[in-house]
Amino acid sequence: MSETIHASRAPADPLLQEQTGAGNTDNTISGVRMHPFYTSDDMLLAAAYPSVRLLADKMTELPAGNTEICSVHRPDDTFGFLHEAAIIEFHGVLYASWYNCPTYELAGYTPICERRSYDGGKTWSELRIICEDPTEKILYCPPVYGIDNDRLYLFVNRMVAPDHIHALDLYVLNPETDRFEQLWSQPLPFKLNTNVVRLPNGKLMLPGRVGELDGFPNTPAVLLSDSGKIDAPWRLVKIAPDGHLPDGKDLVHPEITVICSGTTLYMFCRNDQRRVPLVYISEDFGETWSGAHSHDIPYVNSKIFAGTLADGRHYLIANIDRFDRSLLAVYFTDTADLRFTRRMILFDTQAPGFPVTTASHYPAACEANGRLHIIATLNYETSIRRGAVLYSIDLNDL
């Protein structure tokens, strides 16, 4: 890995000129969206940021009746807790992985596990462990995938405590053994968030956050592969010079996800210390970044996952409006322009056909065979009984 490059301010967001004072509703003040879940401190912080409007004036609500919902993994006597799943399609197979714990989040034995589906997510193979530490000194979290040169790769984090990153590890699927094998491990305190993103300039990007080695990472950052190869060197670019907010507080769990619209990158950021949804902007493919902007997508208190479909439309998946993660939605644009016009509620307290469930969160997604496959954590009855569920959307229905 190369040396850290500190963030600098990118050019102003091209959407800003139309946002200020435009499309105001009863929940805006001087063009800044004030979400109903804001505290007074949140309102003050939102007012300190430039504001970007990303939602259409009129949102079309998409019915979820044709969305297939399938269980990927249910909590059991061995692993009662599951979290931070990833998914990808490779050679017609859906690969899904996550970290498991016996009972409590990131407590005790914490391996990376996987299942595979050969029928588009309807059924899944037996659980297989990719990497583990039986001594329980090292915790593994979270997995993300990448495809390069017709090979499937998997990145994972090693931790010495919850979210205290000790190393970044890279695995590759061996076609002869059909198992993931480790290529390297490097002492980089970079926590992963999404699958590898291939940029229009040919480079690769990994969104995440960084901190001190074996410390808690609170600074949004990306890794870039200049060669466009996954197993080549990566370099770190900080999106913000530190994890501080304008009101003196720190970002907490600033998990990030990116959309590339034309030549502009929009990096959406979770913001737990304050509830203001944030987005950072780059117009040089991640070399430099703007300061944070507030915006009008009402996500809060959980991971966001965004991407671009094969036809150029964009999507963003997030828990919205509620702090208990009991409402999970996916937003779509109609075109390659970054204006979300349609929304589908994937989960609202209960998943049809499942026993008592309370929350669905931490989404990740991939597109395959005309469907958007969204994997997410599913809480059964309590927050410590968690499995994984797949929402499969027929894109022709949109």
Side-chain angles (χ1 to χ4, degrees):
M1 304 291 174
S2 64
E3 295 296 321
T4 298
I5 301 175
H6 289 284
S8 60
R9 185 168 293 275
D13 172 46
L15 291 179
L16 271 181
Q17 290 184 353
E18 66 174 273
Q19 308 315 323
T20 305
N24 286 349
T25 70
D26 293 339
N27 291 324
T28 64
I29 299 176
S30 298
V32 178
R33 175 72 179 189
M34 296 296 170
H35 294 287
F37 48 77
Y38 278 0
T39 65
S40 58
D41 286 334
D42 298 327
M43 295 176 70
L44 290 173
L45 180 61
Y49 287 124
S51 181
V52 178
R53 182 167 153 258
L54 299 169
L55 300 181
D57 290 331
K58 183 175 178 56
M59 187 68 55
T60 299
E61 295 292 341
L62 298 170
N66 292 332
T67 298
E68 296 179 1
I69 304 177
C70 304
S71 176
V72 181
H73 180 76
R74 295 177 186 266
D76 54 31
D77 292 339
T78 303
F79 294 121
F81 189 95
L82 176 155
H83 205 28
E84 296 203 44
I87 190 167
I88 201 166
E89 186 270 340
F90 182 66
H91 289 181
V93 180
L94 287 179
Y95 292 78
S97 59
W98 50 76
Y99 73 82
N100 272 124
C101 305
T103 305
Y104 299 103
E105 181 173 8
L106 299 176
Y109 178 51
T110 306
I112 298 295
C113 300
E114 70 156 340
R115 288 182 186 267
R116 302 176 190 180
S117 177
Y118 300 88
D119 57 7
K122 295 179 178 61
T123 61
W124 293 84
S125 64
E126 292 298 315
L127 192 73
R128 178 184 286 181
I129 293 174
I130 296 177
C131 50
E132 61 179 337
D133 179 11
T135 71
E136 303 179 7
K137 293 180 181 179
I138 294 294
L139 313 177
Y140 286 90
C141 160
V144 304
Y145 291 106
I147 297 172
D148 177 39
N149 195 28
D150 201 34
R151 303 190 77 186
L152 178 60
Y153 293 86
L154 179 78
F155 286 94
V156 300
N157 285 134
R158 294 193 201 189
M159 303 183 297
V160 294
D163 279 359
H164 286 64
I165 308 301
H166 182 68
L168 178 67
D169 297 355
L170 178 63
Y171 289 75
V172 66
L173 182 66
N174 184 331
E176 296 181 359
T177 64
D178 200 30
R179 288 186 173 271
F180 284 95
E181 298 176 356
Q182 188 176 38
L183 286 178
W184 51 250
S185 177
Q186 300 198 26
L188 182 69
F190 180 87
K191 187 168 188 224
L192 302 158
N193 280 161
T194 76
N195 287 346
V196 175
V197 178
R198 188 170 293 278
L199 301 175
N201 62 357
K203 296 183 180 183
L204 301 179
M205 173 180 285
L206 270 173
R209 50 192 169 108
V210 70
E212 298 297 322
L213 191 66
D214 293 347
F216 194 89
N218 269 342
T219 298
V222 296
L223 292 179
L224 293 175
S225 170
D226 294 318
S227 68
K229 301 295 183 183
I230 288 180
D231 58 1
W234 293 73
R235 60 187 172 92
L236 181 73
V237 176
K238 289 185 176 181
I239 293 176
D242 52 45
H244 301 319
L245 299 173
D247 61 0
K249 296 293 184 180
D250 292 331
L251 282 165
V252 176
H253 305 124
E255 295 161 324
I256 58 174
T257 184
V258 70
I259 285 177
C260 182
S261 181
T263 59
T264 304
L265 302 182
Y266 297 87
M267 188 69 74
F268 296 89
C269 181
R270 172 182 173 184
N271 178 13
D272 280 5
Q273 183 74 270
R274 292 285 180 252
R275 304 170 185 180
V276 182
L278 300 178
V279 62
Y280 298 86
I281 297 150
S282 174
E283 296 192 52
D284 54 12
F285 297 115
E287 298 293 343
T288 60
W289 294 86
S290 72
H293 299 67
S294 66
H295 61 82
D296 53 354
I297 304 175
Y299 63 65
V300 63
N301 192 38
S302 185
K303 178 181 177 178
I304 318 108
F305 193 95
T308 302
L309 300 173
D311 63 8
R313 291 177 295 168
H314 307 295
Y315 64 90
L316 184 144
I317 317 157
N319 288 103
I320 59 172
D321 296 321
R322 305 173 189 164
F323 292 101
D324 59 6
R325 302 179 181 177
S326 61
L327 190 62
L328 181 66
V330 54
Y331 292 83
F332 294 96
T333 66
D334 282 336
T335 66
D337 294 331
L338 198 62
R339 177 77 71 196
F340 293 98
T341 58
R342 303 178 182 218
R343 184 181 76 170
M344 179 185 293
I345 302 298
L346 298 170
F347 179 90
D348 187 354
T349 306
Q350 182 63 33
F354 285 75
V356 177
T357 55
T358 59
S360 187
H361 47 117
Y362 269 73
C366 72
E367 181 183 1
N369 298 319
R371 304 188 76 90
L372 182 63
H373 299 289
I374 300 170
I375 195 169
T377 299
L378 185 66
N379 289 18
Y380 289 79
E381 299 178 357
T382 69
S383 63
I384 62 172
R385 297 284 293 174
R386 296 185 184 182
V389 65
L390 186 75
Y391 306 95
S392 183
I393 301 172
D394 188 342
L395 295 173
N396 293 319
D397 289 345
L398 303 184

